[in-house]
Amino acid sequence: MFSHLAVATGLATGDMIFFAVCFILLMWLIKIVAWKPINQMMQDRADKISNDIDTAEKSREEAAQLAQQRQDALANSRQEASSIVDSAKKQGQQQRDGILAQAQTDAQSLKDNAKKDIEQERQDALSSVRNDVADLSIEIASKIIQKELSADDQKALIDSYIEGLGK
């Protein structure tokens, strides 16, 4: 049973050449069939990884630029909002001052007109009283001249004139 093993104790040259040719042929077939596609696949994978890394780096840079632009826009909008608020405050203060000045002018004008009206009424009242006193004086003088008055007559005359003034 193990007789064929015992005979082949030596390495035959023909076998070695056969094995060498088979090995070379197998290597050549592997090179054609497997090695080139594997190398191509590995190269494609390396290129894809490299492109993915480049794309990721570009995306990161773009994201950083967008973040900076947003920060700048936010800072600008805050500054603009602050300037708008300040402008509105100034404009409100100017309007307030204008309204107060106009109100003070109107109040002073009303006060001056009221003083003029009061003075005119006072002058009219004084003029009316002067006329009434003058008329009364003339009437009293004419009645005194027409008759001599006693104390009771004087009192009655004064009372009648006072009643006449009340009407």
Side-chain angles (χ1 to χ4, degrees):
M1 167 158 156
F2 293 111
S3 62
H4 71 281
L5 290 177
V7 174
T9 57
L11 195 58
T13 312
D15 286 341
M16 276 187 12
I17 293 175
F18 175 74
F19 287 132
V21 169
C22 284
F23 181 74
I24 291 173
L25 235 146
L26 183 63
M27 284 301 182
W28 180 71
L29 282 175
I30 289 175
K31 181 180 177 188
I32 291 175
V33 174
W35 190 254
K36 283 186 181 180
I38 289 174
N39 270 346
Q40 185 63 37
M41 181 180 67
M42 294 301 272
Q43 184 63 40
D44 291 345
R45 178 141 174 90
D47 291 343
K48 182 182 180 305
I49 290 171
S50 177
N51 287 338
D52 289 347
I53 290 172
D54 291 342
T55 303
E57 182 65 26
K58 285 180 184 178
S59 295
R60 187 191 64 76
E61 288 174 2
E62 288 175 3
Q65 287 176 349
L66 286 174
Q68 184 62 38
Q69 288 174 352
R70 287 186 184 130
Q71 288 292 338
D72 293 343
L74 181 61
N76 288 339
S77 65
R78 284 182 182 160
Q79 184 179 9
E80 187 175 326
S82 176
S83 67
I84 288 171
V85 168
D86 289 343
S87 174
K89 283 181 182 178
K90 286 178 184 177
Q91 188 176 17
Q93 183 66 31
Q94 288 174 349
Q95 285 180 345
R96 178 183 165 271
D97 293 343
I99 290 170
L100 284 176
Q102 183 64 36
Q104 287 175 349
T105 303
D106 291 347
Q108 186 63 38
S109 174
L110 287 173
K111 196 188 283 186
D112 291 343
N113 288 339
K115 283 181 181 180
K116 287 178 185 177
D117 290 346
I118 290 170
E119 182 62 29
Q120 183 63 39
E121 291 292 326
R122 189 175 79 75
Q123 290 298 328
D124 290 345
L126 283 176
S127 175
S128 175
V129 168
R130 281 186 194 134
N131 289 337
D132 289 344
V133 169
D135 290 341
L136 284 175
S137 297
I138 292 172
E139 281 185 44
I140 291 173
S142 67
K143 287 189 179 185
I144 290 178
I145 294 174
Q146 290 176 358
K147 69 175 183 175
E148 288 287 326
L149 295 177
S150 64
D152 290 334
D153 290 336
Q154 263 185 343
K155 187 172 181 184
L157 184 64
I158 290 173
D159 287 340
S160 71
Y161 285 118
I162 290 176
E163 286 177 20
L165 285 177
K167 293 180 183 178

